[in-house]
mmCIF file of all heavy atoms in Angstrom:
data_model
loop_
_atom_site.group_PDB
_atom_site.id
_atom_site.type_symbol
_atom_site.label_atom_id
_atom_site.label_comp_id
_atom_site.label_asym_id
_atom_site.label_seq_id
_atom_site.Cartn_x
_atom_site.Cartn_y
_atom_site.Cartn_z
ATOM 1 N N ASP E 171 -70.043 48.067 5.854
ATOM 2 C CA ASP E 171 -70.328 46.686 5.484
ATOM 3 C C ASP E 171 -71.284 46.670 4.294
ATOM 4 O O ASP E 171 -72.233 47.458 4.220
ATOM 5 C CB ASP E 171 -70.955 45.924 6.646
ATOM 6 C CG ASP E 171 -69.939 45.623 7.748
ATOM 7 O OD1 ASP E 171 -68.742 45.899 7.527
ATOM 8 O OD2 ASP E 171 -70.353 45.126 8.816
ATOM 9 N N GLY E 172 -71.030 45.746 3.364
ATOM 10 C CA GLY E 172 -71.898 45.612 2.208
ATOM 11 C C GLY E 172 -71.583 46.565 1.055
ATOM 12 O O GLY E 172 -72.282 46.540 0.040
ATOM 13 N N SER E 173 -70.561 47.379 1.200
ATOM 14 C CA SER E 173 -70.208 48.310 0.118
ATOM 15 C C SER E 173 -69.857 47.532 -1.145
ATOM 16 O O SER E 173 -69.322 46.436 -1.094
ATOM 17 C CB SER E 173 -69.016 49.180 0.535
ATOM 18 O OG SER E 173 -69.346 50.027 1.607
ATOM 19 N N VAL E 174 -70.180 48.146 -2.286
ATOM 20 C CA VAL E 174 -69.923 47.511 -3.576
ATOM 21 C C VAL E 174 -68.657 48.122 -4.177
ATOM 22 O O VAL E 174 -68.575 49.349 -4.354
ATOM 23 C CB VAL E 174 -71.105 47.716 -4.539
ATOM 24 C CG1 VAL E 174 -70.815 47.077 -5.902
ATOM 25 C CG2 VAL E 174 -72.382 47.135 -3.944
ATOM 26 N N ILE E 175 -67.677 47.267 -4.482
ATOM 27 C CA ILE E 175 -66.401 47.717 -5.016
ATOM 28 C C ILE E 175 -66.276 47.226 -6.455
ATOM 29 O O ILE E 175 -66.436 46.043 -6.719
ATOM 30 C CB ILE E 175 -65.208 47.178 -4.199
ATOM 31 C CG1 ILE E 175 -65.485 47.300 -2.682
ATOM 32 C CG2 ILE E 175 -63.923 47.897 -4.594
ATOM 33 C CD1 ILE E 175 -65.723 48.712 -2.207
ATOM 34 N N GLY E 176 -65.962 48.118 -7.357
ATOM 35 C CA GLY E 176 -65.770 47.746 -8.751
ATOM 36 C C GLY E 176 -64.325 47.418 -9.028
ATOM 37 O O GLY E 176 -63.449 48.262 -8.869
ATOM 38 N N THR E 177 -64.026 46.179 -9.412
ATOM 39 C CA THR E 177 -62.668 45.780 -9.773
ATOM 40 C C THR E 177 -62.713 44.489 -10.552
ATOM 41 O O THR E 177 -63.531 43.604 -10.271
ATOM 42 C CB THR E 177 -61.776 45.602 -8.537
ATOM 43 O OG1 THR E 177 -60.486 45.163 -8.960
ATOM 44 C CG2 THR E 177 -62.357 44.625 -7.535
ATOM 45 N N ALA E 178 -61.859 44.382 -11.552
ATOM 46 C CA ALA E 178 -61.741 43.139 -12.316
ATOM 47 C C ALA E 178 -60.561 42.305 -11.838
ATOM 48 O O ALA E 178 -60.263 41.276 -12.425
ATOM 49 C CB ALA E 178 -61.574 43.460 -13.798
ATOM 50 N N SER E 179 -59.902 42.744 -10.774
ATOM 51 C CA SER E 179 -58.666 42.101 -10.312
ATOM 52 C C SER E 179 -58.949 41.164 -9.135
ATOM 53 O O SER E 179 -59.404 41.598 -8.076
ATOM 54 C CB SER E 179 -57.663 43.186 -9.872
ATOM 55 O OG SER E 179 -56.643 42.641 -9.078
ATOM 56 N N LEU E 180 -58.635 39.874 -9.320
ATOM 57 C CA LEU E 180 -58.757 38.942 -8.195
ATOM 58 C C LEU E 180 -57.786 39.287 -7.082
ATOM 59 O O LEU E 180 -58.065 39.050 -5.910
ATOM 60 C CB LEU E 180 -58.510 37.510 -8.667
ATOM 61 C CG LEU E 180 -59.641 36.821 -9.440
ATOM 62 C CD1 LEU E 180 -59.248 35.386 -9.760
ATOM 63 C CD2 LEU E 180 -60.943 36.850 -8.656
ATOM 64 N N ARG E 181 -56.636 39.823 -7.439
ATOM 65 C CA ARG E 181 -55.652 40.242 -6.417
ATOM 66 C C ARG E 181 -56.273 41.273 -5.505
ATOM 67 O O ARG E 181 -56.186 41.164 -4.256
ATOM 68 C CB ARG E 181 -54.416 40.832 -7.113
ATOM 69 C CG ARG E 181 -53.463 41.553 -6.153
ATOM 70 C CD ARG E 181 -52.384 42.289 -6.911
ATOM 71 N NE ARG E 181 -52.893 43.358 -7.743
ATOM 72 C CZ ARG E 181 -53.153 44.599 -7.327
ATOM 73 N NH1 ARG E 181 -52.964 44.919 -6.058
ATOM 74 N NH2 ARG E 181 -53.606 45.514 -8.148
ATOM 75 N N ARG E 182 -56.913 42.290 -6.075
ATOM 76 C CA ARG E 182 -57.545 43.316 -5.249
ATOM 77 C C ARG E 182 -58.738 42.754 -4.493
ATOM 78 O O ARG E 182 -58.931 43.045 -3.307
ATOM 79 C CB ARG E 182 -57.974 44.490 -6.132
ATOM 80 C CG ARG E 182 -56.792 45.302 -6.672
ATOM 81 C CD ARG E 182 -57.248 46.357 -7.656
ATOM 82 N NE ARG E 182 -56.128 47.201 -8.104
ATOM 83 C CZ ARG E 182 -55.977 47.655 -9.334
ATOM 84 N NH1 ARG E 182 -56.873 47.341 -10.266
ATOM 85 N NH2 ARG E 182 -54.943 48.422 -9.649
ATOM 86 N N GLN E 183 -59.532 41.923 -5.167
ATOM 87 C CA GLN E 183 -60.708 41.353 -4.522
ATOM 88 C C GLN E 183 -60.328 40.530 -3.292
ATOM 89 O O GLN E 183 -60.945 40.658 -2.230
ATOM 90 C CB GLN E 183 -61.461 40.485 -5.535
ATOM 91 C CG GLN E 183 -62.126 41.335 -6.631
ATOM 92 C CD GLN E 183 -62.553 40.527 -7.842
ATOM 93 O OE1 GLN E 183 -62.003 39.462 -8.121
ATOM 94 N NE2 GLN E 183 -63.520 41.032 -8.579
ATOM 95 N N ALA E 184 -59.310 39.689 -3.442
ATOM 96 C CA ALA E 184 -58.901 38.843 -2.325
ATOM 97 C C ALA E 184 -58.437 39.670 -1.140
ATOM 98 O O ALA E 184 -58.777 39.369 0.017
ATOM 99 C CB ALA E 184 -57.795 37.879 -2.768
ATOM 100 N N GLN E 185 -57.671 40.716 -1.398
ATOM 101 C CA GLN E 185 -57.162 41.549 -0.296
ATOM 102 C C GLN E 185 -58.273 42.385 0.321
ATOM 103 O O GLN E 185 -58.272 42.626 1.537
ATOM 104 C CB GLN E 185 -56.018 42.426 -0.800
ATOM 105 C CG GLN E 185 -54.769 41.620 -1.171
ATOM 106 C CD GLN E 185 -53.608 42.489 -1.592
ATOM 107 O OE1 GLN E 185 -52.937 43.114 -0.767
ATOM 108 N NE2 GLN E 185 -53.363 42.545 -2.897
ATOM 109 N N LEU E 186 -59.211 42.821 -0.495
ATOM 110 C CA LEU E 186 -60.367 43.539 0.045
ATOM 111 C C LEU E 186 -61.189 42.635 0.962
ATOM 112 O O LEU E 186 -61.530 43.011 2.095
ATOM 113 C CB LEU E 186 -61.260 44.044 -1.099
ATOM 114 C CG LEU E 186 -60.774 45.259 -1.884
ATOM 115 C CD1 LEU E 186 -61.545 45.383 -3.191
ATOM 116 C CD2 LEU E 186 -60.933 46.532 -1.067
ATOM 117 N N LEU E 187 -61.502 41.432 0.475
ATOM 118 C CA LEU E 187 -62.370 40.535 1.249
ATOM 119 C C LEU E 187 -61.665 39.973 2.476
ATOM 120 O O LEU E 187 -62.323 39.618 3.459
ATOM 121 C CB LEU E 187 -62.874 39.396 0.354
ATOM 122 C CG LEU E 187 -63.812 39.837 -0.767
ATOM 123 C CD1 LEU E 187 -64.137 38.665 -1.688
ATOM 124 C CD2 LEU E 187 -65.087 40.442 -0.211
ATOM 125 N N SER E 188 -60.339 39.912 2.447
ATOM 126 C CA SER E 188 -59.630 39.470 3.647
ATOM 127 C C SER E 188 -59.755 40.497 4.759
ATOM 128 O O SER E 188 -59.670 40.158 5.946
ATOM 129 C CB SER E 188 -58.155 39.207 3.330
ATOM 130 O OG SER E 188 -57.458 40.410 3.118
ATOM 131 N N GLN E 189 -59.954 41.757 4.383
ATOM 132 C CA GLN E 189 -60.122 42.819 5.382
ATOM 133 C C GLN E 189 -61.573 42.966 5.828
ATOM 134 O O GLN E 189 -61.837 43.310 6.976
ATOM 135 C CB GLN E 189 -59.617 44.150 4.812
ATOM 136 C CG GLN E 189 -58.128 44.154 4.501
ATOM 137 C CD GLN E 189 -57.658 45.477 3.925
ATOM 138 O OE1 GLN E 189 -57.833 46.529 4.536
ATOM 139 N NE2 GLN E 189 -57.055 45.420 2.734
ATOM 140 N N ASN E 190 -62.505 42.713 4.894
ATOM 141 C CA ASN E 190 -63.926 42.828 5.240
ATOM 142 C C ASN E 190 -64.724 41.887 4.335
ATOM 143 O O ASN E 190 -65.028 42.219 3.179
ATOM 144 C CB ASN E 190 -64.416 44.259 5.062
ATOM 145 C CG ASN E 190 -65.870 44.437 5.494
ATOM 146 O OD1 ASN E 190 -66.599 43.465 5.681
ATOM 147 N ND2 ASN E 190 -66.297 45.686 5.636
ATOM 148 N N PRO E 191 -65.085 40.706 4.836
ATOM 149 C CA PRO E 191 -65.785 39.703 4.010
ATOM 150 C C PRO E 191 -67.169 40.138 3.558
ATOM 151 O O PRO E 191 -67.752 39.489 2.678
ATOM 152 C CB PRO E 191 -65.876 38.489 4.936
ATOM 153 C CG PRO E 191 -64.903 38.716 6.014
ATOM 154 C CD PRO E 191 -64.779 40.191 6.174
ATOM 155 N N THR E 192 -67.731 41.214 4.131
ATOM 156 C CA THR E 192 -69.079 41.629 3.711
ATOM 157 C C THR E 192 -69.061 42.474 2.436
ATOM 158 O O THR E 192 -70.118 42.719 1.856
ATOM 159 C CB THR E 192 -69.762 42.456 4.827
ATOM 160 O OG1 THR E 192 -69.204 43.782 4.874
ATOM 161 C CG2 THR E 192 -69.648 41.796 6.182
ATOM 162 N N LEU E 193 -67.890 42.914 2.014
ATOM 163 C CA LEU E 193 -67.821 43.720 0.801
ATOM 164 C C LEU E 193 -68.246 42.894 -0.400
ATOM 165 O O LEU E 193 -68.042 41.685 -0.444
ATOM 166 C CB LEU E 193 -66.410 44.262 0.589
ATOM 167 C CG LEU E 193 -65.843 45.167 1.688
ATOM 168 C CD1 LEU E 193 -64.412 45.556 1.365
ATOM 169 C CD2 LEU E 193 -66.713 46.409 1.875
ATOM 170 N N LYS E 194 -68.829 43.544 -1.382
ATOM 171 C CA LYS E 194 -69.224 42.877 -2.615
ATOM 172 C C LYS E 194 -68.377 43.427 -3.756
ATOM 173 O O LYS E 194 -68.417 44.633 -4.031
ATOM 174 C CB LYS E 194 -70.703 43.081 -2.911
ATOM 175 C CG LYS E 194 -71.174 42.378 -4.178
ATOM 176 C CD LYS E 194 -72.655 42.577 -4.443
ATOM 177 C CE LYS E 194 -73.079 41.836 -5.713
ATOM 178 N NZ LYS E 194 -74.516 42.070 -6.013
ATOM 179 N N CYS E 195 -67.610 42.554 -4.390
ATOM 180 C CA CYS E 195 -66.767 42.961 -5.520
ATOM 181 C C CYS E 195 -67.449 42.566 -6.820
ATOM 182 O O CYS E 195 -67.835 41.418 -7.001
ATOM 183 C CB CYS E 195 -65.402 42.305 -5.425
ATOM 184 S SG CYS E 195 -64.463 42.810 -3.969
ATOM 185 N N VAL E 196 -67.591 43.525 -7.719
ATOM 186 C CA VAL E 196 -68.259 43.277 -8.986
ATOM 187 C C VAL E 196 -67.302 43.541 -10.147
ATOM 188 O O VAL E 196 -66.421 44.403 -10.048
ATOM 189 C CB VAL E 196 -69.530 44.124 -9.146
ATOM 190 C CG1 VAL E 196 -70.543 43.773 -8.067
ATOM 191 C CG2 VAL E 196 -69.210 45.620 -9.099
ATOM 192 N N ASN E 197 -67.458 42.793 -11.218
ATOM 193 C CA ASN E 197 -66.584 42.933 -12.381
ATOM 194 C C ASN E 197 -66.661 44.359 -12.921
ATOM 195 O O ASN E 197 -67.733 44.904 -13.141
ATOM 196 C CB ASN E 197 -66.997 41.940 -13.470
ATOM 197 C CG ASN E 197 -66.016 41.920 -14.611
ATOM 198 O OD1 ASN E 197 -64.807 41.880 -14.396
ATOM 199 N ND2 ASN E 197 -66.517 41.951 -15.834
ATOM 200 N N PHE E 198 -65.517 44.969 -13.121
ATOM 201 C CA PHE E 198 -65.443 46.395 -13.452
ATOM 202 C C PHE E 198 -64.309 46.569 -14.440
ATOM 203 O O PHE E 198 -63.159 46.742 -14.053
ATOM 204 C CB PHE E 198 -65.155 47.172 -12.160
ATOM 205 C CG PHE E 198 -65.741 48.562 -12.111
ATOM 206 C CD1 PHE E 198 -67.074 48.768 -12.305
ATOM 207 C CD2 PHE E 198 -64.926 49.636 -11.827
ATOM 208 C CE1 PHE E 198 -67.613 50.048 -12.199
ATOM 209 C CE2 PHE E 198 -65.448 50.925 -11.739
ATOM 210 C CZ PHE E 198 -66.805 51.123 -11.921
ATOM 211 N N ARG E 199 -64.633 46.512 -15.724
ATOM 212 C CA ARG E 199 -63.592 46.599 -16.737
ATOM 213 C C ARG E 199 -63.841 47.770 -17.665
ATOM 214 O O ARG E 199 -64.841 48.446 -17.592
ATOM 215 C CB ARG E 199 -63.504 45.278 -17.524
ATOM 216 C CG ARG E 199 -63.014 44.129 -16.653
ATOM 217 C CD ARG E 199 -62.623 42.929 -17.475
ATOM 218 N NE ARG E 199 -61.725 43.286 -18.549
ATOM 219 C CZ ARG E 199 -61.849 42.827 -19.796
ATOM 220 N NH1 ARG E 199 -62.828 41.999 -20.108
ATOM 221 N NH2 ARG E 199 -60.984 43.203 -20.714
ATOM 222 N N GLY E 200 -62.876 48.004 -18.570
ATOM 223 C CA GLY E 200 -62.922 49.173 -19.427
ATOM 224 C C GLY E 200 -61.746 50.074 -19.092
ATOM 225 O O GLY E 200 -61.014 49.834 -18.128
ATOM 226 N N ASN E 201 -61.542 51.115 -19.898
ATOM 227 C CA ASN E 201 -60.420 51.999 -19.617
ATOM 228 C C ASN E 201 -60.676 52.830 -18.373
ATOM 229 O O ASN E 201 -61.779 52.796 -17.799
ATOM 230 C CB ASN E 201 -60.079 52.857 -20.853
ATOM 231 C CG ASN E 201 -61.199 53.795 -21.250
ATOM 232 O OD1 ASN E 201 -61.924 54.322 -20.404
ATOM 233 N ND2 ASN E 201 -61.356 54.010 -22.538
ATOM 234 N N VAL E 202 -59.671 53.556 -17.956
ATOM 235 C CA VAL E 202 -59.756 54.329 -16.718
ATOM 236 C C VAL E 202 -60.941 55.281 -16.743
ATOM 237 O O VAL E 202 -61.694 55.408 -15.769
ATOM 238 C CB VAL E 202 -58.432 55.118 -16.508
ATOM 239 C CG1 VAL E 202 -58.587 56.121 -15.367
ATOM 240 C CG2 VAL E 202 -57.285 54.160 -16.238
ATOM 241 N N GLN E 203 -61.132 55.949 -17.869
ATOM 242 C CA GLN E 203 -62.217 56.934 -17.977
ATOM 243 C C GLN E 203 -63.580 56.272 -17.823
ATOM 244 O O GLN E 203 -64.463 56.811 -17.148
ATOM 245 C CB GLN E 203 -62.101 57.662 -19.317
ATOM 246 C CG GLN E 203 -60.876 58.539 -19.461
ATOM 247 C CD GLN E 203 -59.592 57.749 -19.648
ATOM 248 O OE1 GLN E 203 -59.603 56.635 -20.175
ATOM 249 N NE2 GLN E 203 -58.471 58.311 -19.238
ATOM 250 N N THR E 204 -63.747 55.103 -18.430
ATOM 251 C CA THR E 204 -65.019 54.388 -18.317
ATOM 252 C C THR E 204 -65.295 53.996 -16.878
ATOM 253 O O THR E 204 -66.422 54.129 -16.377
ATOM 254 C CB THR E 204 -64.998 53.130 -19.205
ATOM 255 O OG1 THR E 204 -64.822 53.526 -20.578
ATOM 256 C CG2 THR E 204 -66.280 52.335 -19.079
ATOM 257 N N ARG E 205 -64.281 53.521 -16.182
ATOM 258 C CA ARG E 205 -64.477 53.075 -14.792
ATOM 259 C C ARG E 205 -64.838 54.255 -13.893
ATOM 260 O O ARG E 205 -65.718 54.147 -13.025
ATOM 261 C CB ARG E 205 -63.218 52.384 -14.291
ATOM 262 C CG ARG E 205 -62.865 51.121 -15.053
ATOM 263 C CD ARG E 205 -61.707 50.393 -14.413
ATOM 264 N NE ARG E 205 -60.940 49.649 -15.402
ATOM 265 C CZ ARG E 205 -59.979 48.789 -15.097
ATOM 266 N NH1 ARG E 205 -59.667 48.578 -13.828
ATOM 267 N NH2 ARG E 205 -59.324 48.160 -16.042
ATOM 268 N N LEU E 206 -64.159 55.385 -14.084
ATOM 269 C CA LEU E 206 -64.474 56.539 -13.247
ATOM 270 C C LEU E 206 -65.860 57.092 -13.552
ATOM 271 O O LEU E 206 -66.551 57.570 -12.658
ATOM 272 C CB LEU E 206 -63.407 57.625 -13.450
ATOM 273 C CG LEU E 206 -62.012 57.281 -12.920
ATOM 274 C CD1 LEU E 206 -61.055 58.441 -13.145
ATOM 275 C CD2 LEU E 206 -62.047 56.906 -11.448
ATOM 276 N N ARG E 207 -66.264 56.985 -14.807
ATOM 277 C CA ARG E 207 -67.615 57.448 -15.142
ATOM 278 C C ARG E 207 -68.660 56.561 -14.465
ATOM 279 O O ARG E 207 -69.689 57.063 -13.965
ATOM 280 C CB ARG E 207 -67.797 57.433 -16.661
ATOM 281 C CG ARG E 207 -69.152 57.978 -17.115
ATOM 282 C CD ARG E 207 -69.200 58.145 -18.625
ATOM 283 N NE ARG E 207 -68.917 56.885 -19.300
ATOM 284 C CZ ARG E 207 -68.820 56.760 -20.623
ATOM 285 N NH1 ARG E 207 -68.957 57.828 -21.400
ATOM 286 N NH2 ARG E 207 -68.582 55.596 -21.172
ATOM 287 N N LYS E 208 -68.407 55.238 -14.409
ATOM 288 C CA LYS E 208 -69.336 54.340 -13.719
ATOM 289 C C LYS E 208 -69.416 54.674 -12.228
ATOM 290 O O LYS E 208 -70.479 54.614 -11.616
ATOM 291 C CB LYS E 208 -68.898 52.886 -13.915
ATOM 292 C CG LYS E 208 -69.117 52.342 -15.317
ATOM 293 C CD LYS E 208 -68.644 50.897 -15.416
ATOM 294 C CE LYS E 208 -68.855 50.331 -16.804
ATOM 295 N NZ LYS E 208 -68.384 48.922 -16.910
ATOM 296 N N LEU E 209 -68.258 54.981 -11.636
ATOM 297 C CA LEU E 209 -68.239 55.378 -10.233
ATOM 298 C C LEU E 209 -69.043 56.657 -10.040
ATOM 299 O O LEU E 209 -69.836 56.797 -9.098
ATOM 300 C CB LEU E 209 -66.793 55.575 -9.770
ATOM 301 C CG LEU E 209 -66.570 56.032 -8.328
ATOM 302 C CD1 LEU E 209 -67.117 55.000 -7.343
ATOM 303 C CD2 LEU E 209 -65.089 56.277 -8.072
ATOM 304 N N ASP E 210 -68.867 57.598 -10.940
ATOM 305 C CA ASP E 210 -69.589 58.861 -10.888
ATOM 306 C C ASP E 210 -71.088 58.647 -11.011
ATOM 307 O O ASP E 210 -71.893 59.360 -10.393
ATOM 308 C CB ASP E 210 -69.106 59.755 -12.045
ATOM 309 C CG ASP E 210 -69.337 61.233 -11.787
ATOM 310 O OD1 ASP E 210 -69.541 61.612 -10.613
ATOM 311 O OD2 ASP E 210 -69.297 62.005 -12.758
ATOM 312 N N ASP E 211 -71.475 57.625 -11.778
ATOM 313 C CA ASP E 211 -72.894 57.332 -11.981
ATOM 314 C C ASP E 211 -73.503 56.507 -10.859
ATOM 315 O O ASP E 211 -74.688 56.179 -10.901
ATOM 316 C CB ASP E 211 -73.093 56.581 -13.312
ATOM 317 C CG ASP E 211 -72.817 57.459 -14.524
ATOM 318 O OD1 ASP E 211 -72.813 58.706 -14.373
ATOM 319 O OD2 ASP E 211 -72.612 56.904 -15.630
ATOM 320 N N GLY E 212 -72.707 56.149 -9.851
ATOM 321 C CA GLY E 212 -73.231 55.431 -8.702
ATOM 322 C C GLY E 212 -73.363 53.934 -8.910
ATOM 323 O O GLY E 212 -74.053 53.258 -8.125
ATOM 324 N N VAL E 213 -72.711 53.379 -9.932
ATOM 325 C CA VAL E 213 -72.784 51.944 -10.168
ATOM 326 C C VAL E 213 -72.118 51.175 -9.022
ATOM 327 O O VAL E 213 -72.557 50.083 -8.653
ATOM 328 C CB VAL E 213 -72.120 51.586 -11.520
ATOM 329 C CG1 VAL E 213 -72.084 50.084 -11.738
ATOM 330 C CG2 VAL E 213 -72.849 52.277 -12.663
ATOM 331 N N VAL E 214 -71.053 51.755 -8.457
ATOM 332 C CA VAL E 214 -70.343 51.160 -7.333
ATOM 333 C C VAL E 214 -70.045 52.249 -6.302
ATOM 334 O O VAL E 214 -70.164 53.443 -6.588
ATOM 335 C CB VAL E 214 -69.025 50.477 -7.776
ATOM 336 C CG1 VAL E 214 -69.295 49.311 -8.713
ATOM 337 C CG2 VAL E 214 -68.092 51.486 -8.436
ATOM 338 N N ASP E 215 -69.649 51.816 -5.120
ATOM 339 C CA ASP E 215 -69.303 52.768 -4.062
ATOM 340 C C ASP E 215 -67.845 53.194 -4.115
ATOM 341 O O ASP E 215 -67.496 54.282 -3.636
ATOM 342 C CB ASP E 215 -69.594 52.144 -2.690
ATOM 343 C CG ASP E 215 -71.055 51.790 -2.510
ATOM 344 O OD1 ASP E 215 -71.909 52.670 -2.745
ATOM 345 O OD2 ASP E 215 -71.355 50.629 -2.163
ATOM 346 N N ALA E 216 -67.004 52.324 -4.653
ATOM 347 C CA ALA E 216 -65.567 52.630 -4.707
ATOM 348 C C ALA E 216 -64.911 51.744 -5.754
ATOM 349 O O ALA E 216 -65.480 50.745 -6.205
ATOM 350 C CB ALA E 216 -64.921 52.390 -3.333
ATOM 351 N N THR E 217 -63.714 52.116 -6.138
ATOM 352 C CA THR E 217 -62.919 51.294 -7.042
ATOM 353 C C THR E 217 -61.443 51.498 -6.730
ATOM 354 O O THR E 217 -61.084 52.390 -5.951
ATOM 355 C CB THR E 217 -63.212 51.615 -8.518
ATOM 356 O OG1 THR E 217 -62.603 50.632 -9.352
ATOM 357 C CG2 THR E 217 -62.695 53.004 -8.909
ATOM 358 N N LEU E 218 -60.598 50.674 -7.329
ATOM 359 C CA LEU E 218 -59.155 50.801 -7.169
ATOM 360 C C LEU E 218 -58.515 50.810 -8.544
ATOM 361 O O LEU E 218 -58.898 50.024 -9.423
ATOM 362 C CB LEU E 218 -58.584 49.647 -6.333
ATOM 363 C CG LEU E 218 -59.016 49.598 -4.867
ATOM 364 C CD1 LEU E 218 -60.192 48.639 -4.713
ATOM 365 C CD2 LEU E 218 -57.871 49.138 -3.976
ATOM 366 N N LEU E 219 -57.533 51.657 -8.721
ATOM 367 C CA LEU E 219 -56.773 51.764 -9.965
ATOM 368 C C LEU E 219 -55.306 51.961 -9.611
ATOM 369 O O LEU E 219 -54.982 52.450 -8.519
ATOM 370 C CB LEU E 219 -57.260 52.940 -10.815
ATOM 371 C CG LEU E 219 -58.691 52.883 -11.346
ATOM 372 C CD1 LEU E 219 -59.092 54.241 -11.899
ATOM 373 C CD2 LEU E 219 -58.829 51.820 -12.401
#
Side-chain angles (χ1 to χ4, degrees):
D171 287 354
S173 294
V174 179
I175 317 300
T177 178
S179 163
L180 283 183
R181 169 189 64 84
R182 290 174 176 142
Q183 290 164 335
Q185 293 183 76
L186 285 164
L187 294 174
S188 72
Q189 296 179 57
N190 184 346
T192 75
L193 299 177
K194 181 179 181 182
C195 296
V196 297
N197 188 46
F198 211 55
R199 293 193 51 224
N201 63 36
V202 170
Q203 293 73 28
T204 299
R205 297 186 209 189
L206 292 182
R207 184 171 57 184
K208 288 180 180 179
L209 179 61
D210 203 18
D211 291 342
V213 176
V214 296
D215 299 308
T217 190
L218 294 96
L219 296 168

